[in-house]
Amino acid sequence: MFIRKSAAVRSSEITPQEVFLERRRLIMAAAAVGISAAIPKGGAVAAALQAVESRYSTDEAPTALKHITNYNNYYEFGVGKEDPAANAHTLTTKPWTLAVDGLAARPTDFHVEDLLSSVALEERIYRLRCVEGWSMVIPWVGFPLSEVLGRVEPLGSARYVAFETVLRPDEMPGQRAFLPALEWPYVEGLRLDEAMHPLTILAVGLYGETLPNQNGAPIRLVVPWKYGFKSIKSIVKITLTEEQPVTSWNRQNPREYGFYSNVNPEVDHPRWSQATEMPIGKGLFAKRKPTLLFNGYADEVAGLYAGMDLRKFF
Ligand SMILES: Nc1nc2c(c(=O)[nH]1)N[C@H]1C(S)=C(S)[C@@H](COP(=O)(O)O)O[C@H]1N2
Ligand SMILES: [Mo]
């Protein structure tokens, strides 16, 4: 093959972001001349996370790694944007068991390491839109949530999926706060059809590397057409239910946060307009961009909400 390999650069000198961008440049160059061959990853990429880029990726340029890992919402580690990067190292992420139970024929405790070796990991570049008004473009490594749900065999009575973050006050300062920001553990939920949708993934990596703790290691949900808070981090339990599950932000403030939380420029949050968003990492004078319905994924997901009043079911 006539494509220069990124391994020509000494791996000790390059960052995961540089490896990623070089590989992406090569993929684009190969696509432009009609080559479909897989491009090898640079040496800095963990073998366990060898992944091919998904057809579901956006073609937007990813946000820089330093912003994705230093501007976070993870209230278990503090409410400031830089708190998770400073504090999340105290979470032990190995070994990690993910229990998938509830209305299922084969409830299973998955060991995350085993899971990673038994699923096809993909790189998926997805937009993340936070209800606070900012957005990023993030190259996740993950696999469809439907893969684990399928393995436990949901019963016909299952209509929703509930998610739970680890409860570990010893390792999570926000969970021992005198005035906790939220009721712990953090919980989330999806309707079963939303959970089974191919865009819904469990992410285990970022920029081709193992997921940093502040981004929800070792395994977190990513639902790209919903506001960021639906994408629950450091998950220990997934439960198939008949009733609509309780969700952390809806419990905290039902007037401001609904169960669905679909990105929608026409349905404002009481405190923030949702019509535009500020891309993170584009400098102080960056212009706000118009927000797209379902965060730009309308072609894929609008059908899930056919006939629903999205102002009522916000
Ligand atoms: N357990 C837990 N999960 C969470 C949060 C949190 O505070 N705790 N914050 C949510 C919010 S509001 C957002 S915007 C995303 C941010 O993900 P990121 O830090 O990887 O960008 O995580 C979501 N998942
Ligand atoms: Mo968010």
Side-chain angles (χ1 to χ4, degrees):
M1 213 168 39
F2 55 80
I3 291 171
R4 186 173 60 88
K5 290 186 185 169
S6 54
V9 186
R10 281 233 316 282
S11 63
S12 58
E13 290 168 1
I14 52 180
T15 65
Q17 179 172 326
E18 286 165 340
V19 172
F20 173 89
L21 292 173
E22 172 64 1
R23 187 169 45 80
R24 188 156 167 75
R25 196 183 65 72
L26 293 172
I27 290 170
M28 297 303 201
V33 292
I35 300 167
S36 62
I39 309 291
K41 286 198 161 193
V45 176
L49 291 181
Q50 291 291 322
V52 289
E53 193 178 320
S54 164
R55 66 188 177 90
Y56 293 106
S57 290
T58 76
D59 51 14
E60 288 162 271
T63 304
L65 183 63
K66 67 166 193 256
H67 296 298
I68 300 177
T69 56
N70 288 285
Y71 192 88
N72 300 105
N73 274 339
Y74 196 169
Y75 280 17
E76 287 86 337
F77 295 105
V79 298
K81 292 285 175 269
E82 293 173 6
D83 291 345
N87 300 329
H89 61 91
T90 54
L91 182 67
T92 323
T93 58
K94 271 183 199 162
W96 193 274
T97 304
L98 170 64
V100 187
D101 61 12
L103 301 171
R106 297 177 184 277
T108 308
D109 285 346
F110 295 98
H111 300 288
V112 166
E113 281 95 307
D114 299 346
L115 242 191
L116 295 199
S117 57
S118 69
V119 293
L121 292 176
E122 279 177 48
E123 194 139 63
R124 294 197 175 194
I125 305 170
Y126 278 174
R127 314 185 72 243
L128 176 107
R129 171 63 159 81
C130 182
V131 73
E132 292 166 303
W134 48 269
S135 63
M136 297 191 197
V137 178
I138 305 186
W140 301 107
V141 175
F143 59 96
L145 171 63
S146 63
E147 174 72 33
V148 284
L149 294 178
R151 289 193 203 179
V152 303
E153 297 176 18
L155 301 180
S157 52
R159 294 185 54 220
Y160 293 92
V161 185
F163 302 84
E164 205 173 295
T165 292
V166 71
L167 182 64
R168 224 180 263 172
D170 290 353
E171 297 185 0
M172 298 176 129
Q175 291 184 343
R176 353 179 252 274
F178 178 64
L179 287 172
L182 288 168
E183 202 177 306
W184 311 116
Y186 196 100
V187 288
E188 255 307 333
L190 295 173
R191 222 169 53 193
L192 184 58
D193 56 347
E194 298 175 322
M196 295 298 287
H197 193 280
L199 283 174
T200 304
I201 57 169
L202 289 171
V204 295
L206 182 58
Y207 266 111
E209 301 273 315
T210 302
L211 202 59
N213 280 8
Q214 62 266 38
N215 294 95
I219 191 159
R220 61 88 60 84
L221 182 68
V222 177
V223 193
W225 71 93
K226 294 180 182 273
Y227 290 112
F229 61 87
K230 296 295 284 184
S231 292
I232 180 172
K233 294 175 168 178
S234 307
I235 303 168
V236 288
K237 200 153 112 100
I238 298 179
T239 307
L240 288 146
T241 67
E242 193 163 357
E243 303 293 323
Q244 183 176 299
V246 172
T247 71
S248 279
W249 285 99
N250 178 251
R251 173 171 67 191
Q252 164 90 356
N253 191 339
R255 210 177 62 86
E256 295 194 359
Y257 307 98
F259 174 79
Y260 284 93
S261 305
N262 290 318
V263 174
N264 191 334
E266 287 177 5
V267 179
D268 282 337
H269 179 280
R271 284 183 283 142
W272 302 293
S273 161
Q274 299 300 336
T276 64
E277 64 199 52
M278 176 56 91
I280 294 292
K282 298 276 150 74
L284 272 179
F285 304 104
K287 280 234 287 280
R288 297 185 70 88
K289 300 202 308 184
T291 286
L292 301 172
L293 180 62
F294 299 117
N295 204 19
Y297 300 93
D299 285 351
E300 286 92 350
V301 301
L304 294 171
Y305 310 104
M308 277 175 70
D309 178 354
L310 296 177
R311 288 184 178 277
K312 184 163 171 230
F313 298 100
F314 61 99

